[in-house]
């Protein structure tokens, strides 16, 4: 495995070719759209980003003088980590025990958590939508959303051998820029082909993230906390497509393994 995997013994569930396959682009687009929608909705609900932990870590450092805020932001970061750990348990932890990984389960949990958030918000558990900052209700909301984003980010990362992220765009935008740099430079054909695939994948994710953000921003003023039902639905569809992608890749790998055995079993007269 060229990329990181537990104990360097597990290959990614989707290899490089499968990750960049055009048939997989809807998966990455939908999951990135879900991440963008969650991030935008969190910002509109309590003026804090949550699909990545950079902002929370920054606030953790800035608010060192307030013990309560320090603990609250630390709890949000821990929730993100707990989500990522949970994804590992459903995926590579099962593979290390020779069990079938549950690829869709972490993403299904994301959809369930987002649905719960929508109904809790409508029930008044987080306070008025967009009118509070750093209240107890805000941190409960952020904790739930961070847990969901940790689940999604780790699930996609593990499935792709750490090649794909869908809850933040810093890495993908960097990769996109590097790929464009390669295309604008006189490089070998093999490098140019890989650069085109890199640009296509990263552009798809950035487009999905921005699309999700825009749709959430449009509908949030009308439905308030109900906006979280949008990324819940998008992620549920993405979970189904990712499960189908992994199952298809597994079937092709099994067929490839069987063919040489069949050939070798034929005796030469």
């Amino acid at each position: 495995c060229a990329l990181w995997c537990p104990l360097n013994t597990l290959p990614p569930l989707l290899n490089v070719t499968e990750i960049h396959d055009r048939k997989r682009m809807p998966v990455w687009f939908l999951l990135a759209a879900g991440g963008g929608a969650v991030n935008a909705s969190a910002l509109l609900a309590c003026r804090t980003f949550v699909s990545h932990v950079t902002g929370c870590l920054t606030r953790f450092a800035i608010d060192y003088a307030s013990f309560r805020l320090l603990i609250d932001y630390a709890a949000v970061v821990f929730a993100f980590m707990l989500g990522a750990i949970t994804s590992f348990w459903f995926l590579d932890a099962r593979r290390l025990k020779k069990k079938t990984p549950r690829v869709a389960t972490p993403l299904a949990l994301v959809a369930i958590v987002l649905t719960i958030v929508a109904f809790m918000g409508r029930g008044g558990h987080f306070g008025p939508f967009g009118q509070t900052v750093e209240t107890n209700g805000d941190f409960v909301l952020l904790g739930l959303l961070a847990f969901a984003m940790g689940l999604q980010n780790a699930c996609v990362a593990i499935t792709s051998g750490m090649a794909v992220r869908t809850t933040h765009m810093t890495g993908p935008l960097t990769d996109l820029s590097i790929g464009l740099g390669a295309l604008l430079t006189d490089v070998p054909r093999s490098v140019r082909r890989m650069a085109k695939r890199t640009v296509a994948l990263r552009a798809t994710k950035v487009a999905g993230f921005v699309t999700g953000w825009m749709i959430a921003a449009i509908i949030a003023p009308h439905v308030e906390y109900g906006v979280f039902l949008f990324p819940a639905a998008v992620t549920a569809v993405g979970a189904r497509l990712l499960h189908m992608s992994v199952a298809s890749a597994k079937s092709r790998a099994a067929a490839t393994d069987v063919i040489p055995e069949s050939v070798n079993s034929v005796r030469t007269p």
Side-chain angles (χ1 to χ4, degrees):
C1 176
L3 300 169
W4 182 90
C5 50
L7 306 180
N8 291 322
T9 60
L10 299 178
L13 293 169
L14 293 176
N15 62 36
V16 173
T17 301
E18 291 157 346
I19 290 168
H20 292 85
D21 191 329
R22 292 181 180 179
K23 296 179 180 178
R24 306 289 173 256
M25 293 302 113
V27 180
W28 312 134
F29 182 90
L30 287 173
L31 294 178
V38 169
N39 212 28
S41 301
L43 180 63
L44 294 171
C46 58
R47 306 178 195 178
T48 304
F49 295 112
V50 74
S51 70
H52 52 79
V53 295
T54 307
C56 289
L57 287 173
T58 302
R59 296 303 296 266
F60 179 83
I62 292 174
D63 293 327
Y64 68 91
S66 172
F67 182 75
R68 185 187 72 83
L69 291 178
L70 200 67
I71 296 300
D72 285 338
Y73 280 112
V76 173
V77 173
F78 177 76
F80 186 95
M81 295 173 62
L82 183 60
I85 291 169
T86 302
S87 276
F88 175 81
W89 288 337
F90 281 117
L91 296 169
D92 278 355
R94 290 181 59 84
R95 295 176 72 196
L96 288 169
K97 295 178 181 179
K98 308 301 181 183
K99 296 181 180 180
T100 302
R102 301 188 182 279
V103 177
T105 301
L107 296 177
L109 286 176
V110 172
I112 291 171
V113 171
L114 295 178
T115 301
I116 291 173
V117 164
F119 283 101
M120 286 182 66
R122 298 290 289 180
H125 294 281
F126 306 131
F129 186 84
Q131 298 179 31
T132 59
V133 180
E134 296 182 336
T135 64
N136 290 336
D138 289 333
F139 283 110
V140 172
L141 170 63
L142 290 173
L144 289 170
L145 295 178
F147 176 73
M149 292 297 94
L151 276 168
Q152 177 171 324
N153 206 37
C155 175
V156 174
I158 291 172
T159 302
S160 65
M162 302 298 153
V164 180
R165 301 289 197 283
T166 57
T167 64
H168 60 275
M169 289 296 112
T170 304
L173 195 57
T174 302
D175 295 341
L176 173 62
S177 302
I178 293 173
L180 289 173
L183 292 178
L184 295 173
T185 306
D186 185 15
V187 296
R189 290 184 179 180
S190 59
V191 175
R192 182 171 293 275
R193 283 196 299 270
M194 191 62 210
K196 288 181 179 179
R197 294 163 65 187
T198 295
V199 168
L201 172 60
R202 273 62 183 192
T204 296
K205 291 194 295 180
V206 171
F209 195 86
V210 173
T211 300
W213 186 301
M214 291 177 62
I215 294 175
I218 292 171
I219 64 178
H222 305 287
V223 299
E224 297 187 340
Y225 286 105
V227 68
F228 288 104
L229 293 175
F230 165 62
V234 168
T235 304
V237 176
R240 176 59 179 167
L241 293 180
L242 184 61
H243 174 76
M244 293 171 61
S245 297
V246 172
S248 175
K250 184 178 179 180
S251 297
R252 283 198 299 272
T256 302
D257 289 340
V258 169
I259 291 174
E261 294 176 2
S262 301
V263 173
N264 293 334
S265 64
V266 178
R267 297 181 178 179
T268 303

